[in-house]
Amino acid sequence: MKNKKTKKSTKKKFFFRTLNPVFTEADLLKFTNRGFSEKKFNSGIVKFSRLYALNKTWVKYMIAIALGLLMSVSTVILVESTGLYTGGFAACFQGIARVVYVALSLKGMDHNLANVIFNALFWGLYVLLNIPLTIFAYFKINKQFAKLSIVYLLTLQGLGFVWGIVPGMSDIQVFGDTSTVNGVLNQYHVQAIIFSPNYFGSWTGSSFDWNQVFTKGQLVGTPEQWVVGNVVDENITKAMLLLVYSVIFALISSACYALMFIIGASTAGSDYLTIYWSQEKNKNVGTIFIIITSISMIIGIFLGSYVSGGLVSNQAHLYNASTQSFTDPVSFWTWQYIFSANLFTSLVWVVLNGVLIDHLFPWHKLVRVEVYSNQTGKINEHLKKIKYTHPATLLDATGGYSGASTKVFLTICMVAELPKLISEIRQIDQNCLVSSSYIADIDGRMTMQRQTY
């Protein structure tokens, strides 16, 4: 019995010792005598940090042209060819262009000529709208901001028009075909992945028969004669492909938008109003982008898919196999057809794009910055000269190891300002230590730098 108690007490001592270890002098010497080396850390809190401090104007113009080129190709392949809708006011003109194309084609105009007119409207109307908007930005926001934005816009719209009229360019679908299985709508390039009226028609009281969404319907006639039919497997597949296109386009466009904002410009159009509203009301760019773009997107899809489909369905007829004749067309003018896969996937693009912009361009997020240096006085004076306006505090401190007195400079700034702030501080003290951390919440007033500079 004694031995068992001794074993138990030994185990208890060992257990508590592991929770509260006792180090001998030899153990402490091993710890303190380890080798040390100085490591350099770089701030990674801001994406594309080097571009914030970019001062060469010609480099900014080259970036704007390169981004315009990238977006022109992406818009043709991922938007125009697939049935997605682009953002902002451009979505409205995209819808107008599609309605005009359908109307001209139904009147018998050659499809190639109708395609040229479509692209002229698709890309050209947006440029005309931007003339007064650019003048507004020039006087209300910043002159260089307006110039850089219009260079990007002209590159995007000009090259987009060229790509659009190149034979076969607008038919490229990298990841799969997303044209509707509806033969008549597809003939007139109406990009509306729709489902049958039965898709919405089976209501029993307050419940809805969701099985119809995944039921392959029985269609009559040939594919070229279909105007509307029940939900088919192909539509589900094409809707999933369209979702893939929307995610990829959101990744590309959000990076382009953020880079334009970072160099002190925008992608023009509704972005002029987005930036102006963001600065005046101190709101996140991405949030405002989602609001404006969603409204424009719905208008564009209503015109480009719903109205265009209605014009086509009014002139088409369904083939009745039992009577061997064409019957009256099933009308496209029902509210159910507004809710197409094109609408849902385009809205996914809008929301995802806005969220990513806020992540890549966190203009209104705040950080607490601590600078440990014996030259904090000089740093403070230098920041005053360059009109740094945020709260700043100078503190006396004592080094924990050396016991020597040191200085600490504290300030609060926006995340996007951090790279430029660190660059200015390094001009005074190359060897100072700069620490930054996010501020979850703040209450009070402080002077904010404008996004454009």
Side-chain angles (χ1 to χ4, degrees), residues 220-234:
V220 295
T222 63
E224 289 73 22
Q225 294 164 343
W226 296 346
V227 176
V228 286
N230 294 334
V231 178
V232 292
D233 295 340
E234 290 87 345

Side-chain angles (χ1 to χ4, degrees), residues 59 76 164 175 208 243 260 311:
V59 176
V76 171
F175 303 105
F208 179 73
L243 181 61
M260 287 299 294
L311 293 175

Side-chain angles (χ1 to χ4, degrees), residues 8 82 86-87 100 114 123 125 161 236 267 356 437 441:
K8 284 183 180 179
T82 63
T86 187
V100 172
W123 302 98
L125 288 176
F161 174 74
I236 301 298
T267 58
L356 290 173
S437 56
D441 192 19

Side-chain angles (χ1 to χ4, degrees), residues 88 105 144:
S105 298
Q144 183 175 306

Side-chain angles (χ1 to χ4, degrees), residues 137-376:
Y138 186 87
F139 290 103
K140 288 291 186 178
I141 302 179
N142 183 276
K143 294 179 181 178
Q144 183 175 306
F145 173 88
K147 291 177 182 177
L148 284 168
S149 301
I150 202 67
V151 166
Y152 166 87
L153 174 70
L154 293 176
T155 304
L156 167 63
Q157 301 300 108
L159 289 176
F161 174 74
V162 173
W163 304 141
I165 62 175
V166 171
M169 183 72 174
S170 60
D171 296 325
I172 297 175
Q173 295 196 330
V174 181
F175 303 105
D177 183 14
T178 57
S179 57
T180 178
V181 295
N182 184 312
V184 176
L185 294 183
N186 197 20
Q187 178 184 349
Y188 291 95
H189 301 290
V190 177
Q191 294 171 310
I193 299 179
I194 59 172
F195 308 105
S196 92
N198 296 333
Y199 174 36
F200 295 90
S202 181
W203 291 84
T204 56
S206 59
S207 63
F208 179 73
D209 184 9
W210 286 100
N211 290 328
Q212 291 194 37
V213 177
F214 304 100
T215 302
K216 187 168 184 176
Q218 299 298 316
L219 300 174
V220 295
T222 63
E224 289 73 22
Q225 294 164 343
W226 296 346
V227 176
V228 286
N230 294 334
V231 178
V232 292
D233 295 340
E234 290 87 345
N235 267 353
I236 301 298
T237 303
K238 288 173 182 290
M240 293 299 102
L241 280 174
L242 200 56
L243 181 61
V244 171
Y245 281 111
S246 70
V247 171
I248 295 172
F249 186 60
L251 294 174
I252 295 173
S253 60
S254 61
C256 290
Y257 281 48
L259 288 171
M260 287 299 294
F261 291 150
I262 288 169
I263 66 173
S266 75
T267 58
S270 59
D271 283 350
Y272 286 142
L273 302 181
T274 298
I275 292 294
Y276 181 73
W277 190 4
S278 173
Q279 292 184 160
E280 295 302 315
K281 301 298 182 181
N282 194 29
K283 300 292 185 181
N284 287 336
V285 171
T287 304
I288 301 171
F289 172 87
I290 291 174
I291 295 171
I292 295 178
T293 305
S294 296
I295 296 172
S296 302
M297 186 81 69
I298 292 171
I299 294 172
I301 292 177
F302 176 80
L303 294 172
S305 295
Y306 178 68
V307 175
S308 296
L311 293 175
V312 171
S313 70
N314 277 352
Q315 294 196 23
H317 291 75
L318 284 174
Y319 182 74
N320 190 316
S322 59
T323 61
Q324 301 289 310
S325 64
F326 288 97
T327 63
D328 291 334
V330 177
S331 175
F332 197 88
W333 305 107
T334 56
W335 63 270
Q336 292 95 330
Y337 291 129
I338 295 175
F339 299 97
S340 63
N342 306 72
L343 172 63
F344 293 125
T345 53
S346 294
L347 288 175
V348 167
W349 169 78
V350 170
V351 174
L352 182 58
N353 194 52
V355 171
L356 290 173
I357 288 173
D358 269 346
H359 176 70
L360 297 173
F361 181 69
W363 185 255
H364 288 288
K365 289 185 180 179
L366 296 175
V367 288
R368 172 189 167 98
V369 183
E370 301 177 8
V371 182
Y372 298 87
S373 169
N374 286 322
Q375 302 184 56
T376 53

Side-chain angles (χ1 to χ4, degrees), residues 17-31:
R17 180 173 289 183
T18 56
L19 291 179
N20 301 287
V22 178
F23 292 105
T24 64
E25 186 176 348
D27 293 329
L28 293 174
L29 284 173
K30 286 179 183 178
F31 178 78

